[in-house]
Amino acid sequence: MKYLACADLHCSKSEEAYSLSVLEEIAAICREEKTDGLLLGGDIFDSFQDAENMRNLFVGLLEKLPENCRVYYIPGNHEELRAAGTLEKFDFGRARLLAAKPYSLESLDVGLELAAIPFQKNYSAYRSWKVPPKGNKKRIVLAHGTVPGIRGYFQEEENPPGVLDEDLFACLEADLAVVGHIHAGYKKQSGDCLIISPGSARVWREGETGSRRAFLIDSGALGRPGEIILASAGQYRIIGVEAFPDCSLGFPEELETGKGLSPPDWLCLKVSGAVEDETEVMKGINKKIEELKKKYRRITLAKEDLFVLKGISTHPLALQFIKKWEESREKYGGEDEEAYRLAKWRGLAKLKEIAEARK
Amino acid sequence: MIETLNLTDFGKFKKRRFDFKPVTLFLGENETGKSTLFDAIFDKICAPKGNSAEGRRLKSRYGETRQAELTGDAPRISESDFLNLYAVKAGSAALEIDNNSEAINIVKASLFSGGIDPKIPADSLIRAVKARGRDSLSEGIKQAEQDIGRLKSDLERDYGIRKNYLFKEAEIKQKDAALEEAEKKIALLEESGAALEKAVKDQRLIKDEKQFTEIISLISDLRRRRENVKKYASYSAETLEKIKNLENAEKDCQNEIDAAAKNLEAALKEAAVKAGEKNALEKEQHKFDRVKILADSLKDRIYPKERLIEKKSVLRINKVFIAIAFLFTALGVFLFFNVPPRISFFVLAGGLVLALAFLICAFRKQTVDDVSRLRGELESLRERWRRETGGELEESYEGILLALENASRDAEFALENYTRSCEAAAAAEEKARALMGQKAQGENRYAGVKRELTGALSRAGVSGATEYAAALARKESETEGCAEIEKKVRLYGGEYGGVSEDALEDALRLKIKNIRETAPPGELTENELRRLEIQLSENRKMIAALQKTRGESISSVSRDRGETHAVFGELPQKITEEEKALGEAEARLGELKREIRASEIAGEIFSSLSEDAGRMLVNLSEEIKTVFSSFTSAGQTKVREVGLKSFSLSDSVTVSDELGTPRDLAHLSAGTRDAFFLAARLILAAKSQGGGKKAPIIFDESFTALDRPRTERALKILEEFRQKTGVQIVIFTKDFDLEEPARAVFGDALGVNRL
């Protein structure tokens, strides 16, 4: 039996087309792989309102799943965000909403069962849950929360879920635990249980670099789930753009050729450099952004490392410094490329500081 | 340029005004106020802070009411720059330059590209790297490392707590399992306890039933006893005694009779025996009589023996002798043939003679007794004896005679025996008769006793004293028993409200009926019941002990669980937050280290640029050399080369002597060294002025060590310097002779103040 597991799709009205395109790809993967089930590990909707407003579209897309493919869906913390009710009152079509707290057990197949743990603020009472022994069966746990020892994106959140201690999985006799909430994918072996997080199924916030994935689980080999990249989710990519003292810009080859980039990508142009005139630089940047917006899903700009140094383009010491810096690439670039690049801005910034102090 | 200086309460100047020109000469002896003027200019241009060393000196020396007013456009410069660079004190031309002083920075700026010595950003960046202050990078790294260390330590501790918690949870789980086990055990024990209790209760009911049955039986027994008591009411000890006596008497009589009967029997037996013996003897006696008569008669026939023996002669042949005779004959014959002939005849004759002798001896006439008659008598006697007695007599006379005598004697004995036997038989008979009489008497007596006894027994209804005694005893015991039973029954009856015995019996029968309906049959023995009760007791003890242990375990588990939950409830969250903080701290550390490395790289790049700028010092050296040379060469000696390695001057200057050998400043003469410092001051002061306001250079008795030619050369250099740079020059001296050359050099630019 095969199951596709994913989480944190964060379907939202503000990014409807994008989030639903990923869901469509998920359904296509299920068709292609002829999966027997789809496990949704929470935060499928970005908020309660999104669940309310988009559930019909969601149900419609689930109809594209193979006929015998059952869908198991646990609510995450986002589904209860600013909730005006409970999800149980909605119909999610083929998706079986497993919202019973603290957990519920579902039989997936002969010899395989699912323990579903929907979002809760506190899981610390897990030892009193009185979970029946699994006997000869294998058990998959589907949960939503943070697991200690797994580092991901620690962003402050509204209504955060509780922490799932690894011992919880041991108490549930889990053979495989699929955990949503942490947007960075990971795998961790904890005793007999493999804990996996698919990560966010789409790029939801800034900084979520890397491919977006889902896990393909074979019931006969729970310890070796396969990873499937969700191409339609794209990636968050930081593209470094150099601003030169004469306000010219250096765009990397990948931006020009599009090599390695895909339309659903979110590109963050990180502009850095010491320039005479920031507005002049921004003209060039904005022009480029307009071009890129036609090709890619989202473009943002970061210019913390861009600063203005009057006379920079003619300042002898600045020019000497830049020249010397470039000549030192071989010497310093190998040990820490980032520090080497940063050295340029720090040197020019220091020069700027001294020059301005002298005025 | 300073135009005027107004002093009020400044040292010895209560109120004094001084005018300044591009070159101002103050002439005055010692204690005329030159130092005061110097201090006043210093006070105005540098404005030292009250708590600085110079500030405190000025305050201490001149007081707080001092006032100095400057007109003109003299810039504000630092104390160190003024004292080290712009003011040349007498006897200390040596120049101590603060490499980071503003003056030197201005010099550097005038020398380097863009006006910024690359060493400045290099040093600034390196300083930032090495800075140890609160907001410094290193402090940030230290803080981040401390945070990381602390967080790691906290994580280690918390993971340790977690591990302990899980271990404790495992223990709690074991305790739970043990509790469950104990609960099961308690349940089992309670179940078995209930069964035991029922069994014991049933047994108690059975026992009660038994008791009730006993009571009922007691009541029956009481009734029976009372019947007996009633039945034996007439029985008394006297009657018993009487009956006993009668029985004893009967017994005695009986004994007597028995004894008499026994004796009689014995006597009769004896009499019978005796009679039998007598009869037997009597029968034999006839026989013995016959035998005696016969034996006597026969004896008479043959006795004496001689009567029957006749004498006769007979020839007796001794066969032995005949044999011997034959033998001798044979011998003689033998010898005859075997001995020499001479003797053979003799031998033969001898033998024959002997043989003959013996032969003769063999035949002998002998008078013998003729016993044929005797033999015939004896034979006849034996025949007769055989016929009459059936016995056999011996062949010999003596034997026969003896046998006859014996037979006669035996007959006599027999007769004696017979007689005795008759007597004995008679006596026995007599005895028997006597005993018979006794017996009869005894029987009579017995009959009488018996009658009496029978009567008494019949009246008592017993068969004997024993029975009477038993009955009497029973009566007594029954009476006693009745009393006891009545007491018991009254006691039991009291439990039922003092009911009557009948009512009590009815009540108990009802209870027995109920018990039999509820309790199962099967009474256990007392030991078995005791064992059951012990089992029940032990069961209860075990339950109590287990419940106590369970209670303690529940408390312990509850306490442990509470403790661990209190600790662990928030622990995963805490660990996650610590990991988050650790991640952030590590990221921060990474950033700081990157910042530091970036700053180091930038600093190194600037430093390398600064090294490139070292050539700037060469230019400076040339300028100083030019001035210096003009002080020292006078056109005749070789230009001295000046080598500056840095701006510190004090330890990085070499000056070549006339022979061109580089020598440290310290190894030069005082005059040459002063000339160098003066040249360096002028150049540095010129370069450090930059644009705008210029600070004056003040010479305080600086030319006292110079001779006249050097003094004039110095003044000329100063004038060139002044004209080139526009820097104001102020000279304090007590050398009034300086005025003349000064006027010659400076012309109208000179202003002279006499103190």
Side-chain angles (χ1 to χ4, degrees), chain B residues 43-64:
Chain B
D43 198 8
K44 283 312 292 180
I45 290 178
C46 301
K49 287 190 173 62
N51 58 358
S52 70
E54 287 300 321
R56 287 196 300 271
R57 185 183 67 80
L58 288 173
K59 182 180 166 185
S60 160
R61 190 163 178 185
Y62 303 108
E64 286 196 19

Side-chain angles (χ1 to χ4, degrees), chain A residues 236-340:
Chain A
Y236 174 88
R237 299 179 194 270
I238 297 175
I239 310 289
V241 178
E242 193 166 356
F244 299 103
D246 62 356
C247 302
S248 62
L249 293 165
F251 293 106
E253 190 189 336
E254 59 192 327
L255 267 190
E256 304 301 333
T257 61
K259 188 177 175 186
L261 305 180
S262 59
D265 284 350
W266 174 350
L267 306 183
C268 175
L269 301 187
K270 192 167 181 186
V271 182
S272 54
V275 297
E276 287 274 2
D277 185 348
E278 186 179 356
T279 52
E280 200 59 40
V281 169
M282 285 314 297
K283 278 183 195 166
I285 290 288
N286 289 333
K287 186 179 167 197
K288 191 68 180 176
I289 287 173
E290 288 309 311
E291 273 176 38
L292 293 171
K293 274 183 180 173
K294 293 172 190 166
K295 295 183 195 174
Y296 303 103
R297 178 174 69 89
R298 189 169 171 181
I299 313 293
T300 51
L301 177 67
K303 54 175 188 163
E304 297 84 25
D305 285 340
L306 178 69
F307 60 94
V308 177
L309 180 61
K310 199 156 175 63
I312 181 67
S313 58
T314 55
H315 195 293
L317 188 55
L319 294 174
Q320 285 171 16
F321 176 80
I322 290 168
K323 186 162 175 273
K324 199 80 170 181
W325 177 83
E326 284 169 355
E327 287 168 4
S328 308
R329 179 178 294 276
E330 204 175 307
K331 183 179 176 186
Y332 297 113
E335 66 175 71
D336 188 343
E337 176 69 27
E338 189 59 34
Y340 168 68

Side-chain angles (χ1 to χ4, degrees), chain B residues 399-418:
Chain B
I400 291 172
L401 187 67
L402 182 65
L404 289 174
E405 284 177 354
N406 287 338
S408 178
R409 196 169 36 251
D410 289 343
E412 286 171 5
F413 284 145
L415 181 63
E416 281 174 17
N417 284 340
Y418 176 71

